[in-house]
Amino acid sequence: MTTDRTPRPRRPSLPMGRRPGRRRALPPRRPCDRHERRHRACLLVLLAAALACVPYLAGRSAYDAQMRTVREQSASRHQITVRSAGDAYGAVSRSGTRTAPVRWTDGQGASRMDFADVPSGTVRGERVRIWVDAAGEPARPPLERGAAVEAGWFTGAVTAALLILAFLGVRAAVTVAYDRRRYAHWAAQWEIVEPQWSKRLPT
C-alpha cells in the first residue's frame, strides 16, 4: 500500500478584508474637487517660495536701515564729564541708569545745566560721564549693532507670520468659494431629482 505524499500547493493568503477580484473603491472626485486641490497646491508652492525669500529681504532691509542709524548716532554723539547737581531719582532703566540734574561747562566756557541719564547710584556732587548730541544736548547712548540685528530678526519673523496668515486666509477663501459652487450644484441637481422622487412616494 502506497500513500501519495506529494505536497499540495498552498493558496496564497490574502489580507483581512480583501477579496480576490475586488479593488478598493476610491472616493468620488468631482471636477471642482480636483480644481480645489490644484489651487491649494499652487498656494502651498507660492507660500514656500515667499517664505524662502520675502522674510530675508524684509529683515535685511530693516537691518540696513538700523545700521545707518547706528553709524549716524556713533558719528554725532560723544561723551563728556559733568557734575551731578542732585541725587539720581526715578525708576531704574534697562541699562541701569536713572535721571539726575547735571551741570557742566561747554566748549565756549558757558555754564550749562540739564537733566541726563546717570548711573543709578549717583549722588549730588559726583562727577559722571554722559552722552551728548552734536548740539551739545544730553542724549541717549548711540545704538549698537546688536539693536540692528534684533530689528532684522524681528522684522523677518513678523513678515513670515504675516505670510502664513495671508496663506491661511486665502486658502479659507478658496474653500468657501468652492463650497458655494458645490452647494449650488447640489441644489440644481436636487431640483431635477426631487420631482421624480415625489412621484414615487405613496399618497
Side-chain angles (χ1 to χ4, degrees), residues 130-193:
I130 65 170
W131 287 92
V132 294
D133 56 18
E137 300 293 334
R140 293 185 177 277
L143 294 176
E144 299 179 353
R145 183 177 178 274
V149 174
E150 291 180 1
W153 278 106
F154 178 78
T155 303
V158 171
T159 303
L162 292 177
L163 287 174
I164 294 175
L165 291 176
F167 164 76
L168 295 176
V170 173
R171 189 179 67 171
V174 169
T175 301
V176 171
Y178 277 102
D179 285 344
R180 289 179 178 177
R181 292 181 59 181
R182 292 188 188 97
Y183 296 151
H185 179 72
W186 292 340
Q189 294 295 323
W190 179 247
E191 290 180 358
I192 298 174
V193 175

Side-chain angles (χ1 to χ4, degrees), residues 6-185:
T6 304
R8 297 181 179 180
R10 299 180 61 183
R11 298 180 60 183
S13 59
L14 296 176
M16 297 297 293
R18 298 288 299 274
R19 296 182 179 180
R22 293 188 178 182
R23 300 178 61 181
R24 177 179 296 179
L26 297 177
R29 295 289 183 181
R30 294 178 295 269
C32 61
D33 296 334
R34 293 192 294 269
H35 294 331
E36 183 180 7
R37 290 183 61 186
R38 292 171 185 171
H39 286 165
R40 286 189 175 185
C42 291
L43 289 176
L44 191 59
V45 172
L46 290 176
L47 174 65
L51 289 176
C53 59
V54 176
Y56 169 78
L57 295 176
R60 184 68 186 186
S61 299
Y63 171 80
D64 292 339
Q66 198 75 355
M67 280 301 298
R68 287 193 294 269
T69 303
V70 170
R71 288 190 290 268
E72 291 174 359
Q73 292 185 357
S74 298
S76 61
R77 299 181 184 182
H78 60 281
Q79 284 185 302
I80 61 173
T81 301
V82 298
R83 186 180 298 275
S84 174
D87 297 340
Y89 64 92
V92 180
S93 65
R94 294 178 57 184
S95 58
T97 61
R98 300 170 71 183
T99 302
V102 294
R103 188 188 304 274
W104 75 97
T105 303
D106 61 15
Q108 299 178 356
S111 178
R112 300 186 58 176
M113 184 174 179
D114 207 330
F115 291 88
D117 293 335
V118 297
S120 60
T122 302
V123 296
R124 182 184 181 89
E126 184 177 353
R127 297 177 65 86
V128 294
R129 292 182 64 81
I130 65 170
W131 287 92
V132 294
D133 56 18
E137 300 293 334
R140 293 185 177 277
L143 294 176
E144 299 179 353
R145 183 177 178 274
V149 174
E150 291 180 1
W153 278 106
F154 178 78
T155 303
V158 171
T159 303
L162 292 177
L163 287 174
I164 294 175
L165 291 176
F167 164 76
L168 295 176
V170 173
R171 189 179 67 171
V174 169
T175 301
V176 171
Y178 277 102
D179 285 344
R180 289 179 178 177
R181 292 181 59 181
R182 292 188 188 97
Y183 296 151
H185 179 72

